[in-house]
Amino acid sequence: MHRRKNRPHLVTLIWIAGLAFAVLCLLTPVSTFADDKAQKEDQRVTESGQALDALVNSESGIPTDLLNKSECVIILPSVKKGGFIIAGQYGKGLMTCRTGKNFTGPWSAPIMMQSSGGSIGFQAGGEAVDYVILVLNDKGARTVMNGKAKLGADASIAAGPVGRTAEASTSGNMSTEMLSYSRANGIFGGVSLSGTSLGPDDGANENLYGKKVTGEQIWAGQVKAPPAAKDLLALLESKSPKNISSGKQ
């Protein structure tokens, strides 16, 4: 009898608790969720800058000559927490391109990117592996910027030579559109990413810039680079301020 009397009281308490939770959710500002998403992308930008710094400042990393001939740089950093790679976050990163009609201006604000398929996850194998892709001509840059491109099919790609003074096996006009590099456990190397699909991450770009924006619009300077990109862009302007590829000096 005593239990039956308490049952309505218990139901009432549960109803009040549920109502309080619903009100709390309604009162939580939408801007809080937006800020959390922006911070997540800021972290990705920061980690991309750190990955690039390691690859361009190593004697056995990306050759300066090839960086100077690049239209764009794509960085896909490993995303780690507590020593573990976060599932679902691998293969996400950013691209920055030289601005201007002929890719001869300063480096652009970051275009958030995502990859799928191919060999990125397989080659990582649970390890923290950073990938950097140099885009060597206008066609390759526009192909990736405007939509999801399958590397090796829509845009040609090859493993890049390592060492600051190394020369690519591609001929003078850089017929290979992209060269890819990786870093794992402090070891640098060229790596083939053929078969990987790569394109703008529209959701991440919206989170980072606070509105829907395309890769072309970011490249064209219609949004300002976020503060998180300061070190990344400063690094590129310092290491490669000018495009010296054929016909662009």
Side-chain angles (χ1 to χ4, degrees), residues 42-54:
D42 281 343
Q43 183 63 28
R44 201 197 307 184
V45 172
T46 299
E47 290 174 345
S48 295
Q50 292 169 348
L52 181 65
D53 183 83

Side-chain angles (χ1 to χ4, degrees), residues 3-219:
R3 289 182 180 178
R4 289 182 180 179
K5 288 182 179 180
N6 286 339
R7 191 171 298 166
H9 180 65
L10 179 61
V11 171
T12 301
L13 288 176
I14 293 173
W15 182 84
I16 292 173
L19 179 62
F21 179 76
V23 171
L24 180 63
C25 289
L26 289 173
L27 292 177
T28 301
V30 174
S31 60
T32 300
F33 296 111
D35 289 344
D36 289 344
K37 290 180 179 179
Q39 288 175 5
K40 176 183 175 182
E41 304 310 337
D42 281 343
Q43 183 63 28
R44 201 197 307 184
V45 172
T46 299
E47 290 174 345
S48 295
Q50 292 169 348
L52 181 65
D53 183 83
L55 274 160
V56 300
N57 282 316
S58 170
E59 291 289 346
S60 58
I62 295 173
T64 302
D65 179 62
L66 290 178
L67 181 61
N68 289 337
K69 293 177 180 177
S70 299
E71 318 282 79
C72 306
V73 175
I74 300 169
I75 311 155
L76 304 173
S78 57
V79 180
K80 296 164 289 182
K81 187 174 183 180
F84 296 94
I85 294 176
I86 301 176
Q89 291 297 311
Y90 213 87
K92 291 177 176 284
L94 62 82
M95 175 171 74
T96 176
C97 300
R98 300 182 196 269
T99 53
K101 180 180 179 181
N102 297 314
F103 297 88
T104 55
W107 294 92
S108 73
I111 302 169
M112 305 309 287
M113 305 291 287
Q114 62 182 347
S115 67
S116 62
S119 55
I120 283 186
F122 175 76
Q123 292 192 46
E127 286 187 299
V129 183
D130 301 320
Y131 297 94
V132 172
I133 301 170
L134 302 183
V135 184
L136 301 172
N137 60 30
D138 299 18
K139 180 177 178 290
R142 295 184 189 280
T143 297
V144 175
M145 193 184 304
N146 290 327
K148 186 159 284 190
K150 188 170 185 179
L151 305 186
D154 300 320
S156 58
I157 189 167
V162 296
R164 286 185 179 176
T165 59
E167 296 259 345
S169 60
T170 50
S171 58
N173 65 354
M174 288 296 177
S175 57
T176 295
E177 293 166 335
M178 302 181 189
L179 295 173
S180 51
Y181 294 85
S182 69
R183 178 178 74 106
N185 297 323
I187 300 174
F188 304 89
V191 59
S192 174
L193 295 179
S194 182
T196 299
S197 293
L198 186 65
D201 186 338
D202 294 332
N205 281 318
E206 183 176 358
N207 293 337
L208 184 64
Y209 294 107
K211 62 180 180 180
K212 291 185 178 181
V213 60
T214 67
E216 283 269 4
Q217 290 171 331
I218 297 170
W219 173 63

